Amino acid sequence: MPADCLSYRETNYYSSLISDYLDQKEELKGFYHRFPSIENFEAQIKDKKELFSADKRELLVRVLEQQYSEIEKGEEVSANIKALSNENTFTVTTGHQLNLFTGPLYFLYKIVSTINLASALKKEYPKNDFVPVYWMATEDHDFEEINYFILNGKKFKWNSQQKQAGEDAVGDLNTEGLEEVFNLFSAEIGGGKNAEDLKDLFKSAYLEHSNLTDATRYLAHQLFKEYGLVILDAQNKELKAEFIPYVEKELFEKVSHTTTISVAEKLEQLDYGIQVNPREINLFYLNDGLRERIIEKEGSFYVNGTEISWSKDEMQKEIQDFPERFSPNVMLRPLYQEVILPNLCYIGGGGELAYWFELKEMFEELKVPFPILLLRNSALIETSKQNKKRGKLDISQSELFLKQHELINRKVRKISNIDIDFSPQKEHLVKQFQQLYELAEKTDPTFLGAVKAQEVKQLKGLEHLENRLLLAQKRKLKDEVSRIAALQNELFPNKRLQERQTNFSEMYLEFGQVLIPTLIENLDPLKLKFKILTFGEK
């Protein structure tokens, strides 16, 4: 399979924050602990080993065994769960929402990056074991973000009428209403082996499991079980009990706000912007069909928009009795993850890493090792047919990432039988006016403004003529223009990165069971490059 790489900066789809991080710019080094190079994991292993107890390992293994009790784990997953009881075993983790049928394609890239990093670490540090973990965002409540996927440019949406849809933690939603999605999906993909595989996968996941957590666990397990992926639902009373000291620090000392607000300001001063504005209290109360913010007023605590309230003493008792009711938001979830896992590295997208950069001082204050932060793999998948079209149109891989009008203009200029570039004429005009400026200064300087106005007018006239000529050539070369636009639209649906729009099922229909093994073989998480993969060629 041919594969090529671009820097993330070259694609023009990534923020300056992420591009500068990958370039290891000096001004960003205070916002993270260790850069994701293979040699930096040695010290990370040492730090985590010292601070992660045997009791925590025993609890984690017990919870995972419970969560997998109704799943045929397979040898690889069973071995990885068992290995977590050993002091020399560590995790690398990615997290993701419970998107319907995985949502956009980058769900696969996140998990493949995690699996491949675990493999790379095992080769470099053979005395240790490394377990890839998918952290399911079961406590998230943004139903509108997860209730659809896009296939062949069509949105397949779960229109749930459940009371808690959009209010409660999405993991608790029952799978009612997904049979309608299944029927529409089945009609769209038709027949054939790959289509039947997808139908079986959807049906087994969503029509044979009663809630979204179990359905998502089953789906991800079926896709990645042979690679030993361990899937964790952290909404668990025993795991939440481990987090009690940090919940108390958050509620009574507002530790996340006091440690992150100045960091966020520093990022803003560096013109990177702020991904997440920290609240004074970054916890939700989760109970009986409700997930709502906790706020504090004059020493008492309230659940926003409800009549629920506690004094400080009552709140301390609530935390001890019901730790599972305290749900971290985006600012605290990373801390919870690092408290309950022997984790070395978090793998996420650009937006995720941006809010992690706000958290280092909080981790230091609480004496929890800050993980290595790794940008997940990104890729553009093209078929061999699309690759051949691109070759015939003489479009380089980097040119694919241009804005469409820029790409078309560049190609029309290149293939046109006349020269549409008026740069020489503009340069000649500028030189002529330079002589007029010199003459005006020697005779009457008040004419300088008039000379400047005339220069601007004539340059604009040349640009207007150039644009008219370019437009005429576009009409003349409309077939080539149409083919260029069509190819780019196929590879960048809705003018966005393919991985952020297209569901994996579209690729599976085309490539079948080789899809995931090919991604495993070709995506290198430590290379820190955007990959272009051509399927169907050797």
Side-chain angles (χ1 to χ4, degrees), residues 185-186 189-201 508-509:
F185 174 61
S186 298
I189 64 177
K193 184 183 185 312
N194 294 345
E196 295 305 321
D197 287 347
L198 288 168
K199 291 175 193 175
D200 289 344
L201 187 60
Y508 193 96
L509 282 171

Side-chain angles (χ1 to χ4, degrees), residues 12-245:
N12 296 311
Y13 277 93
Y14 291 82
S15 69
S16 60
L17 174 62
I18 294 304
S19 296
D20 287 351
Y21 174 57
L22 298 179
D23 290 341
Q24 300 186 63
K25 290 288 181 69
E26 192 65 33
E27 57 266 33
L28 274 175
K29 290 186 177 179
F31 297 95
Y32 61 92
H33 188 37
R34 295 187 177 100
F35 191 74
S37 58
I38 194 73
E39 61 272 11
N40 281 344
F41 280 89
E42 183 175 2
Q44 195 74 24
I45 289 168
K46 184 175 182 292
D47 288 354
K48 197 68 182 187
K49 187 174 182 178
E50 288 176 355
L51 293 171
F52 201 81
S53 69
D55 289 343
K56 284 187 174 184
R57 290 181 177 279
E58 182 183 336
L59 170 60
L60 178 61
V61 170
R62 185 168 69 250
V63 170
L64 285 168
E65 291 288 1
Q66 291 169 356
Q67 293 186 355
Y68 274 88
S69 60
E70 296 184 13
I71 293 181
E72 188 177 331
K73 296 193 291 290
E75 289 182 16
E76 292 82 2
V77 174
S78 294
N80 274 349
I81 292 175
K82 184 179 179 181
L84 285 167
S85 62
N86 188 304
E87 66 173 359
N88 293 317
T89 299
F90 303 91
T91 62
V92 290
T93 301
T94 193
H96 199 68
Q97 296 169 296
L98 309 189
N99 294 69
L100 184 60
F101 214 43
T102 77
L105 188 58
Y106 71 83
F107 173 82
L108 266 60
Y109 302 160
K110 272 187 163 184
I111 292 180
V112 168
S113 300
T114 307
I115 290 167
N116 282 351
L117 178 60
S119 297
L121 289 171
K122 181 63 177 175
K123 290 176 184 175
E124 186 70 18
Y125 304 101
K127 293 181 180 179
N128 298 287
D129 288 314
F130 304 91
V131 175
V133 172
Y134 162 39
W135 178 293
M136 293 193 294
T138 57
E139 296 176 56
D140 188 75
H141 65 265
D142 199 336
F143 182 68
E144 291 301 317
E145 283 191 3
I146 68 158
N147 68 344
Y148 70 93
F149 62 93
I150 295 172
L151 167 65
N152 299 332
K154 302 174 184 177
K155 181 182 279 192
F156 292 79
K157 186 175 180 180
W158 177 18
N159 295 304
S160 177
Q161 301 301 314
Q162 297 173 63
K163 177 186 173 185
Q164 66 266 44
E167 300 171 7
D168 198 4
V170 294
D172 294 333
L173 292 174
N174 69 56
T175 49
E176 173 190 343
L178 281 169
E179 189 167 356
E180 179 184 353
V181 179
F182 172 70
N183 291 336
L184 292 171
F185 174 61
S186 298
E188 176 69 21
I189 64 177
K193 184 183 185 312
N194 294 345
E196 295 305 321
D197 287 347
L198 288 168
K199 291 175 193 175
D200 289 344
L201 187 60
F202 190 106
K203 184 177 180 181
S204 297
Y206 294 102
L207 306 189
E208 297 176 11
H209 291 88
S210 60
N211 62 63
L212 193 55
T213 293
D214 290 344
T216 304
R217 182 188 291 110
Y218 175 87
L219 176 61
H221 180 66
Q222 292 305 310
L223 291 173
F224 294 104
K225 61 184 176 182
E226 66 185 274
Y227 302 102
L229 180 71
V230 172
I231 302 161
L232 175 65
D233 173 13
Q235 173 50 11
N236 174 277
K237 184 170 185 174
E238 289 185 279
L239 293 177
K240 286 285 181 73
E242 292 290 303
F243 199 53
I244 286 175

Side-chain angles (χ1 to χ4, degrees), residues 429-458:
L429 186 64
V430 169
K431 287 178 181 177
Q432 286 184 317
F433 271 91
Q434 186 60 42
Q435 295 172 4
L436 289 175
Y437 284 126
E438 293 171 1
L439 182 62
E441 285 180 343
K442 290 176 181 177
T443 55
D444 189 345
T446 60
F447 281 118
L448 286 172
V451 173
K452 180 65 178 175
Q454 191 62 225
E455 179 187 25
V456 170
K457 180 179 179 181
Q458 292 195 32

